[in-house]
């Protein structure tokens, strides 16, 4: 059974008087049953504090937390049926993998035959059956992390809480484990709350993401909503590389015309786009195309630099008004990579749906 989590006006203040710090500053949030939900934000934004209040390790200063309508705001961790996985695995070194996974079932007084079956199933879910009798010190970091996950899911929690579970692993293993963890969470249907500061992890795994800044939710949405339609500069920058171009916007039916020092940009009108006045356009490097100079609706510029990265080339182009943009070109043609033949005079084109108009920062 999985659980719907409702969080109302949640606040956590650490310290008193002048030294008081609002680590979580009035969060309202509903996480649906079975959802894989991410809390994403820079270091110190309050995401771990929020996760620990959901787990019951930290007592909120104000507000409420409900699991399926039941108030658990001040309930002890062991009364919430949550499973938690920490950054530092926290496996017991003297116990075998199977004993580590079985521990929570023993505490819950689950009888032996049932215990063995559930340990076997949980280890199978993380593809670690073959390692049941090993000690944690005989496992790689990725294997230890999978055992920690098995230990959390074996007790069949209603809510799974993951605190930067991949941060101690190397880059290749992190990418491998992303899809494994997502598959385990989705196939078991457990409501999962996952804390990370790694935007790629969140974009590749989440059903929905809350971007947290200074203890508040800056924006909430699916990965593509947040990446393609950020609401402000902070979210646009936090989720990946982008180009910012300042300009003056005028509404034009369904679109906006933005006068910039580099020329006129046309942008699709979004719900939260300002209609007029000074604005900031956010344009992702991969959404800018290099086109023939003089092409319709293009902006002329000079190519200053090209860096070849195999699958992509990164170009630095200076437009009119000394506006510089980064462009990521997938599968770049040879010509553009040859310094002797590559043209310096270029032009760029951008689809209106790729120009995101933000309030001036
Ligand atoms: P990180 O990614 O670095 O773990 P985070 O977003 O998880 O950061 P939190 O650990 O939730 O951030 O901390 C939020 C703020 O609350 C920080 O400014 C932190 O210093 C402060 N804080 C956290 N725990 C305590 C505590 N026990 N006492 C006092 N201040 C605390």
């Amino acid at each position: 059974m999985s659980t719907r989590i409702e969080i109302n006006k949640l606040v956590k203040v650490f310290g008193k008087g002048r030294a008081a710090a609002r680590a979580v500053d009035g969060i309202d949030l509903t996480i649906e049953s079975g959802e894989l939900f991410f809390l994403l934000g820079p270091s110190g934004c309050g995401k771990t504090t929020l996760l620990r209040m959901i787990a019951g390790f930290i007592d909120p200063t104000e507000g409420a937390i409900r699991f399926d309508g039941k108030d658990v705001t001040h309930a002890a961790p062991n009364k919430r049926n949550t499973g938690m996985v920490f950054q530092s695995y926290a496996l017991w070194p003297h116990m075998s993998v199977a004993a580590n996974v079985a521990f929570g079932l023993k505490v819950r007084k689950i009888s032996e035959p049932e215990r063995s079956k559930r340990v076997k199933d949980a280890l199978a879910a993380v593809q670690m059956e073959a390692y049941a009798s090993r000690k944690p010190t005989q496992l790689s970091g990725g294997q230890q992390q999978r055992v920690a996950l098995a230990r959390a899911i074996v007790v069949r929690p209603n809510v799974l809480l993951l605190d930067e579970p991949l941060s101690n692993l190397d880059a290749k293993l992190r990418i491998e484990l992303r899809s494994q963890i997502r598959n385990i969470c989705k196939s078991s249907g457990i409501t999962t709350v996952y804390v990370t500061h790694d935007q790629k992890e969140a974009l590749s795994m989440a059903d929905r993401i809350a971007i947290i800044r200074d203890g508040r939710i800056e924006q909430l949405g699916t990965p593509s909503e947040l990446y393609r339609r950020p609401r402000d500069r902070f979210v646009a920058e936090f989720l990946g590389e982008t180009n910012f171009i300042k300009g003056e916007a005028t509404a034009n039916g369904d679109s906006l015309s933005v006068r910039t020092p580099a020329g006129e940009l046309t942008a699709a009108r979004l719900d939260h786009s300002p209609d007029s006045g000074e604005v900031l356009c956010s344009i992702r490097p991969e959404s800018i195309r290099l086109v023939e100079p003089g092409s319709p609706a293009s902006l002329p510029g000079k190519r200053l630099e090209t860096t070849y990265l195999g699958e992509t080339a990164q170009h630095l182009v200076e437009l009119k008004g000394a506006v510089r943009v980064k462009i990521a070109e997938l599968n770049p043609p040879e010509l553009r990579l040859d310094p002797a033949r590559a043209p310096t005079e270029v032009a760029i084109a951008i689809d209106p749906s790729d120009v995101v108009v933000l309030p001036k920062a």
Side-chain angles (χ1 to χ4, degrees):
M1 199 191 73
S2 82
T3 294
R4 180 172 200 257
I5 304 170
E6 284 165 85
I7 294 169
N8 295 110
K9 300 191 171 50
L10 202 66
V11 173
K12 179 65 196 180
V13 180
F14 288 113
K16 286 207 170 74
R18 281 230 187 127
R22 291 173 86 85
V24 170
D25 193 11
I27 287 199
D28 278 311
L29 174 66
T30 300
I31 300 171
E32 296 302 335
S33 168
E35 194 170 21
L36 177 47
F37 192 92
F38 271 65
L39 302 172
L40 175 68
S43 182
C45 70
K47 52 198 189 299
T48 300
T49 304
L50 175 56
L51 190 79
R52 289 176 161 264
M53 287 195 280
I54 299 173
F57 296 127
I58 294 180
D59 204 30
T61 310
E62 288 168 30
I65 303 173
R66 290 188 186 81
F67 284 3
D68 285 333
K70 185 170 163 247
D71 192 329
V72 296
T73 314
H74 303 289
N78 61 0
K79 301 281 183 242
R80 302 185 185 206
N81 199 24
T82 58
M84 185 133 175
V85 177
F86 300 92
Q87 253 177 54
S88 58
Y89 329 131
L91 298 174
W92 287 287
H94 60 286
M95 287 187 194
S96 69
V97 163
N100 263 283
V101 177
F103 187 81
L105 298 174
K106 272 191 173 170
V107 172
R108 285 168 170 78
K109 308 228 170 5
I110 307 288
S111 64
E112 171 42 40
E114 169 73 6
R115 209 160 64 210
S116 300
K117 182 178 177 307
R118 277 167 65 172
V119 169
K120 206 161 157 254
D121 290 349
L123 286 175
V126 297
Q127 293 164 18
M128 286 295 291
E129 313 101 295
Y131 300 83
S133 54
R134 289 226 194 149
K135 294 275 165 54
T137 49
Q138 299 168 313
L139 301 177
S140 71
Q143 290 167 337
Q144 290 183 50
Q145 193 55 293
R146 279 187 276 165
V147 175
L149 192 59
R151 190 178 57 175
I153 59 174
V154 78
V155 297
R156 298 190 182 150
N158 294 341
V159 175
L160 182 62
L161 303 168
L162 305 173
D163 189 0
E164 307 246 10
L166 303 181
S167 62
N168 285 337
L169 306 176
D170 66 51
K172 188 163 170 280
L173 204 53
R174 275 209 303 267
I175 292 171
E176 261 175 51
L177 281 181
R178 279 180 197 165
S179 57
Q180 288 187 15
I181 293 183
R182 181 169 165 90
N183 289 342
I184 291 166
C185 294
K186 295 316 286 183
S187 60
S188 61
I190 304 174
T191 310
T192 303
V193 189
Y194 191 124
V195 160
T196 186
H197 62 265
D198 180 332
Q199 71 275 18
K200 287 270 184 316
E201 210 163 287
L203 289 173
S204 62
M205 296 174 70
D207 290 327
R208 284 191 306 155
I209 303 170
I211 307 271
I212 313 284
R213 180 189 193 185
D214 296 338
R216 292 163 186 249
I217 295 178
E218 189 82 0
Q219 193 173 350
L220 180 77
T222 64
S224 65
E225 278 165 5
L226 296 183
Y227 187 79
R228 294 190 54 80
R229 299 200 290 278
R231 195 167 287 176
D232 59 28
R233 183 183 181 125
F234 178 84
V235 176
E237 259 178 331
F238 194 74
L239 284 179
E241 261 201 90
T242 194
N243 295 291
F244 290 118
I245 304 179
K246 284 184 192 159
E248 183 86 19
T250 332
N252 194 355
D254 282 347
S255 58
L256 290 170
S257 296
V258 185
R259 216 152 24 95
T260 81
E264 182 106 348
L265 287 171
T266 306
R269 227 163 143 177
L270 305 175
D271 291 347
H272 54 260
S273 298
D275 275 355
S276 60
E278 285 186 70
V279 295
L280 198 61
C281 297
S282 167
I283 304 159
R284 301 278 182 203
E286 68 275 15
S287 61
I288 305 179
R289 282 172 288 123
L290 283 170
V291 293
E292 280 299 311
S295 302
S298 69
L299 302 176
K302 275 194 169 48
R303 195 171 52 88
L304 300 181
E305 201 178 283
T306 289
T307 312
Y308 181 52
L309 296 169
E311 79 278 26
T312 55
Q314 283 184 356
H315 309 286
L316 181 63
V317 169
E318 184 165 290
L319 305 171
K320 281 196 294 182
V323 174
R324 291 185 173 193
V325 289
K326 279 190 202 153
I327 303 172
E329 184 181 36
L330 191 63
N331 194 20
E334 289 272 338
L335 169 69
R336 269 210 266 282
L337 304 170
D338 181 347
R341 293 189 301 145
T344 315
E345 301 297 323
V346 294
I348 65 160
I350 311 157
D351 283 342
S353 60
D354 290 323
V355 178
V356 180
V357 176
L358 306 173
K360 188 176 156 245

